[in-house]
């Protein structure tokens, strides 16, 4: 008799809808809460989960925080919880692209001289490479 079993790491997104001002970049963003865990599967059916950890990723800049376990469990149960800075531990800083005025974003074709403010890599008229702004 053969048993097919394995241990793998899983990730599950937890619904949490709150608009906040990011402590990392200063922009508006949403908390994207997710849980990671280790899982024992028997015949590809999850049998046992352990090592649950909760994380928050900012939608504005991609900064990742580890969430306090009790707060994460409360959110996973569907309770209305306020996530504060005391509940977050910085794991990885994100990066937000800075906004530039339209005049600074013009791209010029090296071939025909066509100018555009769109984020193209190649000219829509002749197909030549556009210069970086």
């Amino acid at each position: 008799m053969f048993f097919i079993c394995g241990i793998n790491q899983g990730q599950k997104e937890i619904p949490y809808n709150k608009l906040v001002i990011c402590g990392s970049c200063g922009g508006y963003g949403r908390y994207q809460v997710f849980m990671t865990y280790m899982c024992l599967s028997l015949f590809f059916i999850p049998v046992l989960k352990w090592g649950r950890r909760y994380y928050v990723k900012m939608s504005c800049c991609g900064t990742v925080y580890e969430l306090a376990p009790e707060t994460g469990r409360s959110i996973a149960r569907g309770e209305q919880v306020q996530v504060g800075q005391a509940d977050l531990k910085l794991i990885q800083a994100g990066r937000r692209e800075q906004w530039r005025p339209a005049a600074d974003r013009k791209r010029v074709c090296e071939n025909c001289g066509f100018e555009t403010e769109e984020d193209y890599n190649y000219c829509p008229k002749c197909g030549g490479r556009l210069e970086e702004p």
Side-chain angles (χ1 to χ4, degrees):
M1 178 177 266
F2 290 100
F3 288 101
I4 299 174
C5 63
I7 296 175
N8 59 2
Q9 185 175 5
Q11 180 175 323
K12 177 182 177 187
E13 189 170 338
I14 301 171
Y16 185 77
N17 191 13
K18 182 174 180 188
L19 184 67
V20 295
I21 296 176
C22 180
S24 181
C25 72
Y28 284 104
R30 295 197 181 279
Y31 286 148
Q32 298 169 335
V33 180
F34 60 96
M35 173 182 66
T36 61
Y37 55 88
M38 297 302 292
C39 181
L40 172 68
S41 298
L42 184 62
F43 293 110
F44 307 105
I45 299 171
V47 177
L48 179 66
K49 293 180 183 177
W50 73 93
R52 291 180 172 99
R53 297 181 85 177
Y54 299 92
Y55 296 94
V56 170
K57 182 175 183 181
M58 296 301 300
S59 65
C60 55
C61 62
T63 300
V64 178
Y65 297 97
E66 185 172 1
L67 187 60
E70 58 276 352
T71 306
R73 284 191 292 271
S74 298
I75 293 172
R77 286 192 299 263
E79 298 175 8
Q80 296 296 327
V81 178
Q82 294 291 334
V83 176
Q85 287 292 54
D87 298 322
L88 302 174
K89 177 183 168 190
L90 181 65
I91 299 295
Q92 179 181 1
R95 194 178 114 183
R96 181 181 178 147
E97 289 190 25
Q98 296 296 322
W99 180 83
R100 294 184 307 216
D104 293 345
R105 290 184 281 162
K106 284 191 180 177
R107 301 180 98 175
V108 180
C109 177
E110 298 171 351
N111 230 8
C112 68
F114 178 76
E115 291 185 8
T116 183
E117 293 178 6
E118 299 294 326
D119 193 23
Y120 298 134
N121 289 329
Y122 296 94
C123 178
K125 287 199 172 199
C126 72
R129 187 108 172 120
L130 293 176
E131 294 177 2
E132 293 293 323

